[in-house]
Amino acid sequence: MATAVDHYAVMGNPITHSKSPFIHALFAEATGQKLHYAAQLVEQNGFSQAIEFYFDQGGHLGLSVTVPFKEQAWQLAEIKTERAEKAGALNTLWLDGEGKLNGDNTDGLGLVRDLKVNNGISLKDARVLILGAGGAVRGVLEPLLTEQPKEIVIANRTVSKAETLANLFLGQPVSGCGFSDVSGSFDVIINGTSASLQGELPPVSGSVVTGNTTCYDMMYSKDTTVFNQWALNQGAGKVIDGLGMLVEQAAEQFVIWRGVRPDTDAVFKILREEMS
Ligand code: ATR
């Protein structure tokens, strides 16, 4: 008798370049889990129908969600983790034993794990500057705050968006401002803007960077990203790109779905090598 295979997938638009099928296949192989993970292109206005259809098929247990459906996934999930509530967007869906749609956002956990475990950067009592105030930044704030930094400053081109985000965390050491209002230096600076997609830099003063600063670009690329090159030019102690975050957020999904933590180091190295 054939053994049933559990099914997972990533939904997004576009989806061709998603590395998730490759990453989850490597995790499955390394942990001996029998599963199939597909990439599914979903029409812009077809997400809720697509997930309904998906989970109606037997053995379809979990989904990754990517651009542009993360906010819709948040609206559709019946049960969300606390960090996902605050994130306003989900990247992970699954059905619980009662058939209810559950959701989580593992992006922030992935970022924190890449900083702490893979790169040895502690956020405890750190002064943290985050550039950008869009969905990507909102998604990671709660897990960053859990690490008890001294302060998180969110700087954004549209100042009101930075202030609105900071106001979601009243009573916690988070503030929002414009790029030109940022003063002093920081232990950790995270670029969460999409400026680098246009090859641009958030216009923040170079004085925020010292030799003790770690700069983290949530984007990743084959070569040093525009932001990380800028940071190096300012004398940053360490620069990291978002490839590790990509692998770690997927590992957190794998833990949720399968109850097993895959080794991420080997997968990270394979991806980095493939990019070179
Ligand atoms: P994402 O889901 O990637 O976060 P988003 O929600 O559209 O996408 O947010 C993009 C972020 O990048 C925003 O903070 C945006 O600034 P505004 O809120 O002022 O639009 C920022 N951003 C995009 N292009 C930028 C640029 N050229 N310079 C600085 N910030 C930029």
Side-chain angles (χ1 to χ4, degrees):
M1 200 178 85
T3 325
V5 176
D6 295 336
H7 288 266
Y8 297 86
V10 56
M11 288 187 180
N13 188 339
I15 203 67
T16 343
H17 296 295
S18 172
K19 296 193 189 307
S20 295
F22 184 60
I23 293 172
H24 282 284
L26 289 174
F27 287 165
E29 196 186 323
T31 55
Q33 298 275 307
K34 206 168 168 57
L35 61 88
H36 182 260
Y37 188 107
Q40 190 173 327
L41 178 70
V42 172
E43 291 299 319
Q44 292 285 348
N45 57 3
F47 182 65
S48 70
Q49 267 176 304
I51 59 170
E52 201 173 313
F53 180 77
Y54 184 84
F55 283 116
D56 271 352
Q57 304 166 83
H60 288 61
L61 305 184
L63 272 179
S64 306
V65 181
T66 189
V67 179
F69 301 121
K70 288 183 174 187
E71 281 83 6
Q72 268 188 66
W74 188 86
Q75 303 280 355
L76 291 165
E78 292 167 86
I79 300 172
K80 296 189 267 285
T81 61
E82 201 183 319
R83 60 175 173 258
E85 268 315 331
K86 275 275 168 62
L90 302 179
N91 70 341
T92 315
L93 293 173
W94 70 98
L95 288 186
D96 65 18
E98 293 169 14
K100 288 208 165 90
L101 187 62
N102 281 239
D104 199 355
N105 188 320
T106 64
D107 287 332
L109 287 184
L111 170 62
V112 167
R113 220 179 144 85
D114 192 36
L115 276 164
K116 267 175 59 172
V117 180
N118 300 340
N119 290 286
I121 307 296
S122 169
L123 291 161
K124 177 126 176 73
D125 297 323
R127 266 200 102 206
V128 180
L129 172 64
I130 303 186
L131 307 173
V137 168
R138 182 171 170 183
V140 301
L141 281 171
E142 175 81 27
L144 286 174
L145 276 164
T146 304
E147 297 300 309
Q148 301 179 298
K150 185 173 174 203
E151 183 185 12
I152 294 183
V153 176
I154 304 166
N156 195 43
R157 181 174 61 183
T158 312
V159 181
S160 59
K161 278 169 73 180
E163 290 169 345
T164 304
L165 267 196
N167 285 337
L168 289 175
F169 297 90
L170 285 178
Q172 299 196 65
V174 188
S175 59
C177 64
F179 292 125
S180 59
D181 305 317
V182 179
S183 62
S185 61
F186 292 82
D187 302 303
V188 177
I189 303 177
I190 298 166
N191 179 29
T193 71
S194 51
S196 22
L197 289 178
Q198 304 118 48
E200 288 175 13
L201 278 170
V204 69
S205 158
S207 62
V208 294
V209 178
T210 73
N212 293 321
T213 305
T214 297
C215 288
Y216 195 104
D217 196 343
M218 283 165 71
M219 301 269 171
Y220 61 86
S221 69
K222 177 164 131 347
D223 304 311
T224 308
T225 66
V226 179
F227 174 74
N228 281 350
Q229 190 55 58
W230 170 84
L232 287 172
N233 294 345
Q234 309 309 311
K238 188 175 175 84
V239 297
I240 307 164
D241 79 6
L243 188 66
M245 176 178 171
L246 175 78
V247 178
E248 294 297 341
Q249 62 78 28
E252 297 295 341
Q253 297 186 314
F254 202 85
V255 172
I256 291 170
W257 294 330
R258 308 301 298 181
V260 182
R261 179 171 292 282
D263 172 29
T264 48
D265 199 39
V267 175
F268 176 83
K269 284 184 181 134
I270 292 170
L271 284 175
R272 187 62 91 197
E273 217 155 84
E274 287 228 323
M275 279 165 60
S276 63

